[in-house]
Amino acid sequence: EVHLVDSGGGLVQPGGSLRLSCAASGFTFSSYWMSWVRQAPGKGLEWVANIKQDGSEKNYVDSVKGRFTISRDNAKNSLYLQMNSLRAEDTAVYYCARDSYCSGGTCYFDSWGPGTLVTVSS
Amino acid sequence: DIVMTQSPDSLAVSLGERATINCKSSQSVLHSSNDKNYLTWYQQKPGQPPKLLIYWASIRESGVPDRFSGSGSGTDFTLTISSLQAEDVAVYYCQQYYSAPGTFGQGTKLEIK
């Protein structure tokens, strides 16, 4: 059974940094693209970033380019999101998700972690 | 970016009745190379992550009850729940994966009447 567990969220001041982690199990992690998707409180879903199986390709939504970095460690079955220069509008639950099918780096998601809440506030 | 617009924003349906949710994309998500619509539907219950229901606009994910069905092509899509059950109360999202960035509809909240 596919199992994803996100962690690392918390309260951070504007301009601060945070690193999210996602531990994967139950499937061959190195065979899948992986994504981060976020959901602001009471709002809809927004894809944030994804990364190819070997880490050779990474894509980001425009609003986080230059501030967020997605990475992975296939030996540890883990996905990461380094978030710098955080803004109030980055406040959201962040989900790691397994990409089921991708075309040109755009994917849909067949498994999701429970999410980790990031709050950016002074 | 492709804009996904769902209607209605909220919907109340009686138990056992049909529920219909619409999703419209600002441009076609039908790929001419394979004649497939790059459109998915997710269900999100309160306090839970989203769950994949439908992909390629009409293919039901494994384990999803057959009362859920997806239809449509090009720019107009529909998610239908043929006979609403209490456990179907949730917010439903469509998503296109035709072009970057993958974008979601705003969500449709489904409740029991």
Side-chain angles (χ1 to χ4, degrees):
Chain A
E1 181 187 357
V2 175
H3 200 51
L4 300 170
V5 179
D6 342 82
S7 62
L11 175 63
V12 60
Q13 292 188 339
S17 298
L18 212 54
R19 189 194 196 207
L20 306 183
S21 300
C22 173
S25 61
F27 65 103
T28 304
F29 181 73
S30 59
S31 296
Y32 288 85
W33 282 75
M34 295 292 295
S35 282
W36 289 98
V37 179
R38 67 183 177 184
Q39 186 170 36
K43 302 297 184 182
L45 299 165
E46 180 183 40
W47 169 80
V48 174
N50 65 13
I51 184 168
K52 197 175 180 179
Q53 289 94 331
D54 61 359
S56 62
E57 183 177 339
K58 304 175 185 180
N59 301 292
Y60 300 91
V61 68
D62 283 349
S63 59
V64 309
K65 283 180 182 175
R67 300 188 299 122
F68 289 12
T69 302
I70 190 171
S71 62
R72 66 191 295 162
D73 185 337
N74 287 341
K76 294 183 177 180
N77 291 338
S78 293
L79 176 72
Y80 306 101
L81 186 67
Q82 177 66 44
M83 304 185 295
N84 299 330
S85 303
L86 282 161
R87 307 167 180 166
E89 54 265 34
D90 296 319
T91 294
V93 173
Y94 284 73
Y95 299 100
C96 71
R98 189 177 79 167
D99 297 341
S100 180
Y101 171 87
C102 298
S103 173
T106 307
C107 314
Y108 75 86
F109 321 106
D110 65 1
S111 298
W112 299 65
T116 186
L117 176 62
V118 173
T119 303
V120 184
S121 175
S122 55
Chain B
D1 298 1
I2 296 179
V3 177
M4 307 299 290
T5 304
Q6 294 181 225
S7 61
D9 289 334
S10 63
L11 180 63
V13 174
S14 300
L15 290 172
E17 296 299 305
R18 178 184 300 260
T20 301
I21 299 170
N22 301 301
C23 175
K24 188 175 184 67
S25 56
S26 61
Q27 64 186 74
S28 176
V29 299
L30 174 62
H31 211 296
S32 57
S33 66
N34 57 12
D35 202 32
K36 287 186 173 182
N37 288 283
Y38 285 50
L39 190 286
T40 60
W41 289 96
Y42 301 91
Q43 174 194 65
Q44 187 177 31
K45 296 181 179 180
Q48 296 184 19
K51 172 188 173 184
L52 176 65
L53 293 178
I54 303 281
Y55 56 97
W56 298 125
S58 62
I59 307 298
R60 205 178 301 116
E61 173 74 337
S62 176
V64 172
D66 61 7
R67 65 180 179 272
F68 291 90
S69 63
S71 62
S73 185
T75 61
D76 293 281
F77 300 90
T78 299
L79 175 70
T80 301
I81 307 172
S82 60
S83 176
L84 189 70
Q85 305 299 303
E87 61 264 32
D88 301 334
V89 169
V91 179
Y92 292 84
Y93 295 92
C94 60
Q95 181 227 344
Q96 64 82 17
Y97 50 103
Y98 179 88
S99 71
T103 46
F104 294 87
Q106 81 277 17
T108 295
K109 186 175 184 179
L110 178 59
E111 299 173 313
I112 305 294
K113 185 186 292 183

